[in-house]
């Protein structure tokens, strides 16, 4: 056994997953190699430290405290509805929308052949300029990753939240435009078009509310405002997709806790526009029940959280890395790598990527092409979502493998 | 540990708003839930709050538990999600991180990150030795993903299969993530290596 083999088996050895023959080889090598022996000692020491970390006991009052909260129906973390800001990077709209496009075997319009790598360009129209102008864009470069203050709604009620017809990275909605009303009027559907008022999203919280306290918010008329009406109609099916990295956020109006969920959208044809009304919502488990990958209808695309995505795409024994591509301080795109070859991937990442506090990987545009070349040379699958920095219409190139 | 039949019976009673049955379930799982939360949050008070929130959600959503996974998997999944919510809220209040100050060149190194020291104070810890405190601090600096797998596997002794069910990913991903998490932990602890030899 050489050092490379020893180190590759170290984790299994520490986890006590090696058979007797492997253990003997490991021990033999450790006896002969001081450096590997040291590494083994270090790994075992950390494992021992983790195993012996002190445990907490629930305080005596835990159950009574809990029961008091249940009785009072006080919920520490209510459902929150985040409305976030339009974010401009450089001179472009930095819409880092992550679409995981999972296509069935017959992809119709979306592919010309049955090759495993399929590409399609999706044009997403720019965000509403009126709304954009209501926001002071953050400073470029240095503040590019600064999270703006996000107003959120914490109280139950029926809310109507105006949302642009396009699917932007972030949408600013003036908080004064958010209406909570209690009138029982049917909400007639608003025609959706680029020029018209933004689509109304009706969120029904009443059924889920723990508190019955009303919230008063009065709509103020602005150019893109809608009349304050409410409906008892079933809520629109909207879900927030979790960010792939801290810097490539996709936020739709509603944050749903507890579950990973999946939106199934219609065919992502060229120049098409994704509309909220076209989305269907599935919980991960139900989606898996509804169709396996092979059975996925060819006109369906899926927008998913990373966790749900992993479940749906059944990547198997692979490891996904989410990488943000930075272009001159602006977000240039994001990229997923899927590979079971941990060692090769780590090697390539180390060469090109700046790791920032374990939370995200950053790759510069300058190194991007070389990085992709090396992934291709090793036959490593990836998906990248690049944003052309200068255009006002944001295009996405989707590479599905 | 309660048998499956007894647990199913408790759940059945809970669904009929039997508070006694609910309290019995809480008693069975409270320590595990608190310790998973402590592993992820590194703060006793936050762990307590997260555990309370977990059981509130269990109480509220028990009718949605369809028994496709085990009850423990379901509770631990809620715990992990609640903790991840708290961790994300923590990171939203972190100060601006400046990554690049100008056009990147081949030689450009990323700017130093200015990260506020939000490490737990001694009062937040249960650790009694320097080694344990170092491990806790290093664990606290890991990403959500890494914290989760280290907590569930190394601190709480759950199996790969259980963890895969909880975080809804394949066993292979759990293993590779654990591998990377341990490497990340080792990197953070490498300056104090001699304490672990």
């Amino acid at each position: 056994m050489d050092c490379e083999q020893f180190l590759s088996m170290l984790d299994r050895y520490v986890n006590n997953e090696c058979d007797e023959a492997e253990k003997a080889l490991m021990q033999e090598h450790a006896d002969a190699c001081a450096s590997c022996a040291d590494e083994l000692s270090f790994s075992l020491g950390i494992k021992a430290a983790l195993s012996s970390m002190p445990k907490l006991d629930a305080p005596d009052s835990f159950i009574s405290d809990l029961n008091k909260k249940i009785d009072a129906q006080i919920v520490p973390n209510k459902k929150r509805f985040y409305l976030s800001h339009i974010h401009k990077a450089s001179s472009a709209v930095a819409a880092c929308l992550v679409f995981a496009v999972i296509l069935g075997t017959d992809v119709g319009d979306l592919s010309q052949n049955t090759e495993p790598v399929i590409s399609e360009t999706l044009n997403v129209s720019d965000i509403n300029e009126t709304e954009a102008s209501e926001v002071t864009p953050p400073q470029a470069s240095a503040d590019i990753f600064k999270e703006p203050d996000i107003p959120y709604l914490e109280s139950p009620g029926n809310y109507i939240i105006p949302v642009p017809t396009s699917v932007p990275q972030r949408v600013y909605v003036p908080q004064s435009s958010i209406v909570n009303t209690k009138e029982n009027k049917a909400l007639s559907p608003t025609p959706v078009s680029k020029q018209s008022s933004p689509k109304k999203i009706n969120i029904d919280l009443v059924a889920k509310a723990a508190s019955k306290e009303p919230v008063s918010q009065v709509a103020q008329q602005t150019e893109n405002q809608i009349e304050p009406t409410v409906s008892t109609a079933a809520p629109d099916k909207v879900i927030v997709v979790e960010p792939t990295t801290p810097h490539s956020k996709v936020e739709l109006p509603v944050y749903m806790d507890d579950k990973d969920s999946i939106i199934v959208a219609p065919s992502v044809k060229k120049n098409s526009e994704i509309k909220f009304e076209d989305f269907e919502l599935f919980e991960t488990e139900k989606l898996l029940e509804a169709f396996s990958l092979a059975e996925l209808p060819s006109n369906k695309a899926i927008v998913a959280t990373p966790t749900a995505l992993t479940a749906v795409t059944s990547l198997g024994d692979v490891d996904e890395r989410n990488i943000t591509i930075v272009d001159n301080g602006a977000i240039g795109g994001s990229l997923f790598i899927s590979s079971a070859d941990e060692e090769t991937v780590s090697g390539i990442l180390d060469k090109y990527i700046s790791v920032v506090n374990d939370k995200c990987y950053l790759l510069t545009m300058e190194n991007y092409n070389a990085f992709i070349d090396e992934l291709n040379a090793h036959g490593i699958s990836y998906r990248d979502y690049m944003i052309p920095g200068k255009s006002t219409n944001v295009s996405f190139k989707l590479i599905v493998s | 540990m309660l048998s499956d039949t007894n647990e199913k019976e408790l759940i059945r009673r809970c669904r009929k708003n039997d508070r006694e049955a609910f309290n019995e379930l809480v008693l069975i799982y409270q320590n595990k839930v608190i310790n998973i939360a402590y592993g992820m949050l590194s703060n006793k008070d936050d762990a307590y709050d997260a555990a309370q929130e977990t059981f509130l959600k269990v109480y509220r959503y028990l009718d949605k538990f369809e028994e496709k996974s085990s009850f423990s998997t379901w509770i631990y999944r809620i715990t992990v999600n609640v903790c991840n919510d708290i961790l994300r809220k923590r990171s939203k209040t972190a100060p601006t991180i400046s990554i690049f100050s100008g056009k990147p060149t081949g030689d450009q190194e990323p700017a130093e990150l200015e990260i506020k020291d939000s490490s737990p104070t001694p009062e937040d810890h249960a650790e009694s030795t320097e080694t344990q405190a170092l491990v806790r601090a290093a664990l606290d600096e890991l990403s959500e993903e890494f914290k989760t797998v280290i907590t569930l596997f190394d601190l709480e002794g759950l199996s790969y299969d259980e963890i895969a069910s909880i975080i809804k990913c394949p066993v292979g991903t759990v293993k590779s993530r654990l591998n990377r998490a341990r490497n990340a932990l080792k990197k953070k602890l490498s300056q104090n290596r001699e304490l672990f030899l």
Side-chain angles (χ1 to χ4, degrees):
Chain A
M1 176 176 276
D2 60 24
C3 293
E4 198 178 328
Q5 288 169 311
F6 180 91
L7 292 173
S8 72
M9 286 182 59
L10 191 54
D11 229 41
R12 288 183 54 229
Y13 184 88
V14 165
N15 289 342
N16 213 19
E17 291 165 7
C18 291
D19 59 32
E20 291 306 317
E22 287 167 330
K23 279 188 205 170
L25 283 171
M26 292 287 286
Q27 199 52 60
E28 190 185 333
H29 182 84
D31 289 343
C33 176
S35 164
C36 286
D38 186 75
E39 194 62 30
L40 175 61
S41 244
F42 187 33
S43 295
L44 287 170
I46 290 179
K47 181 152 177 80
L50 286 169
S51 304
S52 66
M53 294 292 278
K55 297 281 196 245
L56 298 179
D57 284 322
D60 293 338
S61 62
F62 188 85
I63 291 181
S64 59
D65 287 345
L66 183 62
N67 277 278
K68 280 180 201 158
K69 284 174 189 156
I70 291 172
D71 292 336
Q73 296 189 15
I74 297 166
V75 181
N77 287 323
K78 295 174 190 171
K79 266 191 175 40
R80 288 194 163 78
F81 295 83
Y82 288 103
L83 310 163
S84 47
H85 292 271
I86 289 166
H87 188 83
K88 283 199 172 187
S90 300
S91 58
V93 174
C96 217
L97 190 70
V98 175
F99 277 99
V101 180
I102 315 299
L103 305 175
T105 49
D106 174 8
V107 296
D109 287 340
L110 293 177
S111 91
Q112 303 301 313
N113 53 45
T114 55
E115 289 298 316
V117 176
I118 302 161
S119 68
E120 181 56 73
T121 301
L122 167 69
N123 285 327
V124 178
S125 59
D126 200 354
I127 53 171
N128 188 306
E129 281 301 318
T130 306
E131 291 178 317
S133 67
E134 292 174 23
V135 180
T136 305
Q139 306 293 320
S141 301
D143 287 352
I144 191 97
F145 296 113
K146 181 176 180 178
E147 188 63 47
D149 292 330
I150 299 174
Y152 61 86
L153 312 173
E154 204 171 15
S155 300
N158 275 334
Y159 288 91
I160 296 176
I161 303 172
V163 178
T165 55
S166 61
V167 184
Q169 178 199 15
R170 294 170 183 182
V171 177
Y172 174 69
V173 179
Q175 188 154 24
S176 56
S177 75
I178 300 156
V179 180
N180 179 11
T181 97
K182 296 174 135 202
E183 295 146 77
N184 278 334
K185 256 195 258 177
L187 186 69
S188 36
T190 304
V192 174
S193 77
K194 286 186 197 181
Q195 309 307 324
S196 69
S197 305
K199 173 175 166 57
K200 290 171 249 195
I201 302 287
N202 184 22
I203 319 281
D204 179 14
L205 296 179
V206 172
K208 292 166 183 150
S211 161
K212 301 285 187 266
E213 268 189 88
V215 172
S216 52
Q217 296 264 5
V218 177
Q220 292 173 13
Q221 292 296 319
T222 68
E223 189 171 328
N224 286 322
Q225 282 307 298
I226 46 177
E227 298 77 24
T229 58
V230 75
S231 153
T232 53
D236 296 319
K237 302 180 186 80
V238 177
I239 192 67
V240 167
V241 177
E242 286 177 19
T244 57
T245 73
H247 308 298
S248 60
K249 287 199 183 296
V250 175
E251 289 186 3
L252 301 175
V254 176
Y255 177 71
M256 308 283 275
D257 56 349
D258 276 350
K259 295 182 191 294
D260 288 325
S261 299
I262 299 192
I263 307 169
V264 178
S267 170
V268 285
K269 291 180 184 166
K270 222 168 182 156
N271 300 317
S272 71
E273 189 177 71
I274 304 292
K275 299 180 188 124
F276 286 118
E277 65 197 4
D278 296 324
F279 287 100
E280 281 179 77
L281 169 67
F282 287 86
E283 290 173 12
T284 310
E285 281 150 332
K286 291 202 169 22
L287 182 71
L288 292 173
E289 275 173 23
F291 22 63
S292 66
L293 275 183
E295 293 168 7
L296 195 67
S298 59
N299 64 339
K300 294 294 186 190
I302 298 178
V303 180
T305 66
T307 312
L309 169 64
T310 307
V312 170
T313 56
S314 299
L315 293 169
D317 291 346
V318 296
D319 182 17
E320 274 207 334
R321 315 285 179 101
N322 301 335
I323 299 164
T324 299
I325 301 157
V326 185
D327 180 16
N328 194 20
I331 299 172
S334 62
L335 180 144
F336 283 82
I337 294 179
S338 302
S339 173
D341 187 349
E342 164 78 25
E343 199 178 323
T344 303
V345 169
S346 295
I348 298 173
L349 286 175
D350 284 345
K351 210 166 147 186
Y352 293 100
I353 299 277
S354 306
V355 178
V356 177
N357 69 24
D358 288 327
K359 290 192 196 306
C360 61
Y361 300 88
L362 295 180
L363 170 70
T364 65
M365 275 305 295
E366 196 174 78
N367 291 331
Y368 173 73
N369 288 331
F371 178 72
I372 294 296
D373 286 345
E374 198 139 350
L375 291 180
N376 284 326
H378 285 90
I380 291 172
S381 301
Y382 66 91
R383 277 163 284 176
D384 71 350
Y385 311 94
M386 298 303 298
I387 299 126
K390 305 286 183 204
S391 70
T392 54
N393 275 336
V394 178
S395 297
F396 295 91
K397 188 174 180 185
L398 305 172
I399 301 173
V400 178
S401 60
Chain B
M1 197 69 190
L2 211 59
S3 71
D4 278 350
T5 315
N6 288 341
E7 186 172 271
K8 278 191 162 70
E9 175 58 22
L10 276 181
I11 293 168
R12 190 193 64 78
R13 284 166 56 197
C14 283
R15 286 189 165 131
K16 294 186 174 186
N17 290 322
D18 183 339
R19 191 67 73 85
E20 282 298 316
F22 178 72
N23 291 340
E24 281 187 55
L25 269 182
V26 174
L27 201 58
I28 293 164
Y29 286 103
Q30 60 183 11
N31 281 349
K32 197 73 161 183
V33 166
I34 284 180
N35 282 292
I36 289 174
Y38 186 50
M40 291 188 64
L41 302 174
S42 297
N43 177 288
K44 284 193 269 185
D45 290 340
D46 285 352
Y48 178 87
D49 288 343
Q52 290 271 302
E53 176 62 15
T54 295
F55 285 110
L56 283 169
K57 285 178 188 281
V58 167
Y59 184 84
R60 208 180 316 149
Y61 297 122
L62 193 57
D63 57 337
K64 293 191 193 298
F65 172 57
E66 293 172 357
E67 303 190 37
K68 287 179 185 171
S69 58
S70 69
F71 190 66
S72 59
T73 296
W74 188 65
I75 285 193
Y76 300 154
R77 185 182 300 143
I78 294 174
T79 311
V80 166
N81 287 340
V82 165
C83 292
N84 281 332
D85 283 352
I86 293 172
L87 288 170
R88 274 170 221 148
K89 273 174 227 151
R90 275 190 198 169
S91 72
K92 276 186 198 264
T93 58
T96 305
I97 298 173
S98 170
I99 310 295
F100 292 106
S101 51
K103 187 178 164 62
T105 67
D107 300 323
Q108 174 113 12
E109 292 296 321
E112 279 296 309
L113 298 179
E114 297 164 5
I115 301 192
K116 166 180 90 170
D117 179 11
S118 58
S119 49
T121 63
E123 288 72 35
D124 302 321
H125 280 169
E127 286 67 46
S128 52
T129 69
E130 185 190 356
T131 310
Q132 289 170 348
L134 283 169
V135 170
R136 181 65 64 189
L139 196 53
D140 194 43
E141 288 181 17
L142 296 182
S143 65
E144 284 169 29
E145 278 188 346
F146 287 174
K147 275 193 230 275
T148 304
V149 289
I150 295 261
T151 296
L152 295 177
F153 190 84
D154 286 315
L155 296 183
E156 296 306 316
L158 300 184
S159 69
Y160 291 131
D161 284 334
E162 282 174 302
I163 296 170
S165 292
I166 289 166
I167 64 177
K168 292 190 195 173
C169 67
V171 167
T173 303
V174 173
K175 288 183 182 178
S176 69
R177 196 173 292 176
L178 194 56
N179 188 310
R180 287 191 292 128
R182 291 221 186 110
N183 286 337
L185 201 59
K186 278 164 88 170
K187 257 194 208 166
K188 290 186 188 296
L189 293 169
S190 57
Q191 282 185 323
N192 302 98
R193 195 181 179 93
E194 66 286 353
L195 292 175
F196 298 93
L197 298 177

